[in-house]
Amino acid sequence: MIEVYSWPTPNGHKVHIMLEECGLPYRAHPIDIGAGDQFQPDFLAISPNNKIPAITDPDGPDGQPYSVFESGAILLYLAGKTGRFLPEDTRGKYDVLQWLMFQMGGVGPMLGQAHHFRIYAPEKIGYAIDRYTNEAKRLYGVMDKRLAKSTYLAGPHYSIADMAVFPWLRSWKNQGIDWNDYPHLKGWFDEIGARPAVQRGVEVLADRRKPLVDDKARQMLFGSEQYKTRG
């Protein structure tokens, strides 16, 4: 059974969805990032960047336990372990990897900044809100254009690239998005969201989710706790 150390965020849900899609047995351990669980030594031992998710596979590549951190790396690891959702042919594989990297380098960081400055920042900074809202719209436009001519982001087949992007778009309202502007992307979003494994994946640990209202959680997520030197 794969041990998953996670929280109900877009990056956590990517991995939850992949595990559900592959039918792999797993056990989810909540890492409450608002309470500071991500800074505990046991978690840092498998996720040195103090970010969720991370996994430990008791049956690693050499038959020994193996831990993986970073959600994109976990998706690739699970795809390699199961032989699913990442094509074997070179062209198909790199089509998927391009769109996975697009999520890792663009969709996640930029939509995360949009969330931060639109919703969580204690000071409403117009320049930052406009910058990241406009970047969110640009990224949605890139995906809408792609999906006007492709069934899925990386081509004709559902892949880890789709799993990586989908959870981030569930908060479209917080990103200042009007779905009417992105009809092809909206069709894809609805199709992915209807998959039973996706529906199960986004419910993993969802009962632990709570509004970000207290000062301690803000400190853990956005304040000086992030920048302490830890052994």
Side-chain angles (χ1 to χ4, degrees), residues 165-179:
V165 168
F166 173 80
W168 280 98
L169 307 195
R170 296 176 71 224
S171 296
W172 55 273
K173 287 184 180 179
N174 289 346
Q175 299 152 13
I177 294 299
D178 182 346
W179 273 129

Side-chain angles (χ1 to χ4, degrees), residues 29-211:
H29 302 270
I31 302 296
D32 186 340
I33 58 179
D37 292 353
Q38 68 272 36
F39 304 121
Q40 295 301 312
D42 287 350
F43 183 69
L44 290 173
I46 60 172
S47 184
N49 194 34
N50 65 256
K51 304 295 183 184
I52 62 96
I55 68 168
T56 297
D57 182 0
D59 182 22
D62 53 2
Q64 300 298 313
Y66 187 69
S67 296
V68 189
F69 72 101
E70 285 293 327
S71 58
I74 296 170
L75 291 177
L76 288 168
Y77 176 81
L78 295 174
K81 180 180 180 70
T82 62
R84 301 190 66 191
F85 304 112
L86 180 65
E88 292 184 0
D89 67 285
T90 301
R91 184 180 295 270
K93 178 175 70 174
Y94 283 106
D95 285 344
V96 170
L97 290 178
Q98 289 177 77
W99 286 98
L100 178 63
M101 295 305 111
F102 168 81
Q103 188 282 311
M104 299 298 296
V107 169
M110 295 299 102
L111 298 191
Q113 293 294 334
H115 292 168
H116 181 78
F117 286 106
R118 289 174 60 89
I119 307 297
Y120 301 121
E123 179 184 354
K124 298 303 180 186
I125 304 171
Y127 173 82
I129 292 170
D130 290 345
R131 171 178 169 79
Y132 290 110
T133 300
N134 287 334
E135 179 63 4
K137 293 177 178 179
R138 188 189 73 80
L139 292 167
Y140 272 68
V142 170
M143 292 183 283
D144 189 68
K145 184 176 180 180
R146 168 64 173 171
L147 291 163
K149 59 183 180 181
S150 179
T151 305
Y152 298 103
L153 285 170
H157 304 296
Y158 177 62
S159 74
I160 55 174
D162 301 292
M163 297 180 210
V165 168
F166 173 80
W168 280 98
L169 307 195
R170 296 176 71 224
S171 296
W172 55 273
K173 287 184 180 179
N174 289 346
Q175 299 152 13
I177 294 299
D178 182 346
W179 273 129
N180 291 321
D181 297 331
Y182 312 100
H184 306 292
L185 181 59
K186 180 59 163 61
W188 168 92
F189 179 82
D190 289 343
E191 178 185 340
I192 302 301
R195 293 178 68 92
V198 173
Q199 294 176 354
R200 293 192 301 271
V202 298
E203 287 302 314
V204 174
L205 300 175
D207 61 333
R208 303 293 188 107
R209 187 183 296 118
K210 50 194 171 186

